[in-house]
């Protein structure tokens, strides 16, 4: 137990699998995924989008493979990507075979939708031969007809039963390198299904609120659903499904993890909503700093407070802080201690430079520790 036990999260024990070179489950970090929206057959456009997601910090990327042109382009995409590629397959078992041969690190399928037992066997054998993991993706919007007839509507029990049925198809072929998702656009349904599934299986779980909506609404729904499950200790990899660019999904995913202290990447900004007491334009300043500091990957904290009511207290808890003062003169804090003043003119440039210097200092210290440990 830590010195702040109210922050402790007891993570659900799970088996660990490998998705390419990335471990998922067990004691591995919770990974962040997204999915491309370019035509996969357009390898250049897809690789460009993957590159933007990699810059945002993505760990795993999924691409849709609905046709032979997509799987034909997949080999080039896999070679160009710096992160493992998951091939999204629906119904067409041959696309799964082609994707496995093309180097996909994981196949996203529902074994029950692949077809006959012989076709499932072929897909599993291809996954084994190529070192592919498999993600079983159950979705409330595409439940099997017999389960809808049995339960009357999508419900947690129906999603979990579907997942267990698909799992059995893989286990019958002695395949165990799988992870499972039971997604729904209804937050309550998704959370309840994941909670039930977490009790029933020991495999890694992929979290998501599917069809969550646009950037603002989808972020809120995903933060509530994914965040609640992670707080319960459930979840090994996440995808925030937004009607937004994939790199935005990645950023939101990391913000959810950062808010729970599960994984830290880049600058955590603490800022006030602003009011008439503000000594500078807090809203525009925070917008500019978040944009300018996207390239920072080193975990660190920055407080941006408009006045002295809460500014000094927040600054004591962050690596760098700025508190608004009168006449365009603001106090800068370094490691929680008052250090110097800065004027309005050039304030953003000054803070960016301080953050970059602090990041370099942290990276150098980490490198030195690694040398000593070696």
């Amino acid at each position: 137990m830590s010195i702040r036990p109210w922050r402790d999260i007891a993570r659900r024990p799970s088996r660990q699998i490998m998705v390419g070179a990335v471990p998922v489950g067990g004691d591995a970090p919770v990974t962040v995924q997204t999915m491309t929206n370019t035509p996969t057959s357009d390898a250049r456009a897809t690789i460009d989008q993957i590159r933007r997601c990699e810059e945002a910090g993505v760990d795993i990327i999924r691409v849709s493979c609905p046709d032979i042109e997509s799987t034909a382009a997949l080999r080039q995409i896999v070679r160009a990507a710096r992160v493992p590629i998951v091939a999204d397959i629906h119904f067409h078992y041959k696309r799964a075979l082609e994707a496995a041969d093309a180097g996909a690190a994981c196949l996203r399928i529902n074994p029950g939708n692949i077809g006959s037992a012989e076709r499932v066997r072929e897909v599993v054998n291809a996954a084994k031969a190529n070192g592919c993991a498999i993600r079983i993706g159950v979705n409330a919007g595409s439940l099997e007809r017999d389960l809808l007839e049995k339960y009357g509507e999508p419900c947690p029990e129906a999603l979990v039963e579907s997942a267990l049925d698909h799992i059995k198809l893989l286990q019958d072929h002695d395949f165990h390198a799988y992870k499972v998702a039971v997604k729904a656009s209804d937050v309550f349904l998704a959370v309840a299904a994941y909670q039930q599934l977490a009790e029933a299986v020991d495999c890694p779980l992929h979290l998501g609120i599917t069809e969550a909506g646009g950037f603002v609404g989808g972020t809120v729904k995903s933060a509530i659903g994914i965040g609640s499950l992670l707080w319960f200790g459930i979840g090994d990899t996440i995808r925030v499904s937004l009607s937004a660019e994939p790199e935005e999904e990645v950023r939101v995913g990391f913000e959810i993890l950062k808010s729970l202290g599960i994984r830290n990447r880049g600058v955590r900004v603490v800022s006030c909503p602003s009011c008439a007491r503000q000594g500078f334009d807090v809203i525009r300043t925070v917008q500019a700093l978040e944009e300018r500091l996207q390239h920072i990957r080193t975990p660190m904290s920055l407080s941006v407070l408009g006045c002295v009511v809460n500014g000094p207290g927040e600054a004591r808890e962050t690596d760098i802080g700025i508190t608004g003062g009168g006449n365009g003169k603001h106090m800068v804090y370094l490691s929680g201690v008052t250090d110097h003043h800065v004027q309005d003119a050039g304030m953003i440039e000054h803070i960016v430079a301080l953050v970059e210097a602090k990041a370099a200092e942290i990276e150098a210290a980490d490198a030195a520790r690694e040398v000593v440990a070696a």
Side-chain angles (χ1 to χ4, degrees):
M1 183 176 290
S2 72
I3 60 173
R4 297 182 178 88
W6 60 89
R7 293 183 181 175
D8 292 345
I9 294 176
R11 190 170 172 187
R12 161 187 168 269
S14 67
R15 291 187 291 108
Q16 187 174 102
I17 67 170
M18 297 299 295
V19 177
V22 175
V24 175
D27 59 357
V30 176
T31 53
V32 176
Q33 302 191 29
T34 189
M35 186 173 183
T36 58
N37 55 33
T38 52
T40 306
S41 56
D42 186 343
R44 185 68 266 160
T46 303
I47 291 167
D48 288 344
Q49 192 169 74
I50 287 172
R51 199 68 74 230
R52 292 194 294 275
C53 295
E54 289 170 341
E55 289 301 315
V58 75
D59 298 299
I60 298 169
I61 294 183
R62 179 158 48 115
V63 302
S64 183
C65 292
D67 48 45
I68 194 168
E69 291 79 14
S70 296
T71 51
L74 191 61
R75 193 177 302 275
Q76 180 184 351
I77 292 168
V78 168
R79 284 199 304 265
R82 302 177 188 132
V83 297
I85 298 297
V86 178
D88 190 79
I89 310 294
H90 289 277
F91 307 115
H92 302 290
Y93 85 104
K94 286 188 176 179
R95 302 293 86 79
L97 303 181
E98 294 158 2
D101 288 340
C106 181
L107 305 175
R108 188 277 190 197
I109 62 170
N110 281 348
N113 294 341
I114 289 298
S116 66
E118 175 59 25
R119 288 181 176 180
V120 173
R121 185 185 64 79
E122 283 191 60
V123 171
V124 170
N125 286 345
K128 287 181 178 179
N130 290 280
C132 289
I134 288 178
R135 173 161 83 83
I136 295 170
V138 175
N139 194 306
S142 56
L143 274 173
E144 295 88 334
R145 184 177 301 172
D146 63 317
L147 291 176
L148 288 175
E149 291 174 353
K150 177 179 179 179
Y151 291 99
E153 65 175 0
C155 62
E157 292 76 15
L159 268 68
V160 171
E161 184 170 332
S162 176
L164 295 177
D165 289 344
H166 291 309
I167 286 172
K168 186 175 186 303
L169 289 174
L170 296 184
Q171 291 180 333
D172 286 347
H173 292 282
D174 196 28
F175 189 89
H176 305 283
Y178 58 83
K179 50 183 176 164
V180 183
V182 282
K183 294 185 179 182
S185 59
D186 181 307
V187 173
F188 296 96
L189 173 56
V191 170
Y194 275 111
Q195 287 175 319
Q196 289 188 22
L197 185 63
E199 294 289 329
V201 298
D202 69 346
C203 62
L205 299 184
H206 170 94
L207 303 187
I209 305 299
T210 194
E211 289 102 31
F215 183 77
V216 175
T219 293
V220 172
K221 285 180 67 174
S222 296
I224 293 170
I226 295 173
S228 296
L229 289 164
L230 290 170
W231 202 338
F232 297 148
I234 296 170
D236 303 287
T237 184
I238 68 173
R239 190 258 173 121
V240 177
S241 298
L242 302 176
S243 299
E245 293 305 318
E247 56 266 36
E248 295 301 326
E249 293 187 349
V250 177
R251 294 185 182 108
V252 173
F254 271 105
E255 287 299 324
I256 293 172
L257 296 179
K258 283 160 64 175
S259 295
L260 291 168
I262 291 173
R263 191 169 169 194
N264 292 310
R265 180 189 187 276
V267 181
R268 178 176 61 86
V269 177
V270 177
S271 62
C272 68
S274 81
C275 68
R277 294 190 305 268
Q278 65 181 353
F280 57 86
D281 189 336
V282 173
I283 294 174
R284 250 56 65 183
T285 298
V286 170
Q287 288 174 342
L289 286 171
E290 287 184 333
E291 179 67 27
R292 293 284 305 277
L293 296 174
Q294 286 184 12
H295 66 292
I296 302 294
R297 300 189 177 192
T298 305
M300 58 184 300
S301 54
L302 168 67
S303 58
V304 183
L305 281 292
C307 76
V308 296
V309 172
N310 294 318
E314 294 292 352
R316 280 195 293 270
E317 303 298 323
T318 53
D319 294 302
I320 296 170
I322 183 164
T323 296
N327 301 316
K329 187 178 181 181
H330 317 299
M331 177 59 71
V332 175
Y333 302 76
L334 301 180
S335 300
V337 179
T338 56
D339 192 83
H340 61 276
H341 289 90
V342 63
Q343 300 288 340
D344 279 331
M347 180 178 70
I348 290 174
E349 294 293 336
H350 184 70
I351 296 300
V352 169
L354 289 175
V355 170
E356 290 176 337
K358 183 65 176 180
E361 176 188 326
I362 294 171
E363 291 169 8
D366 288 345
R369 279 193 291 271
E370 289 178 6
V371 170
V372 171

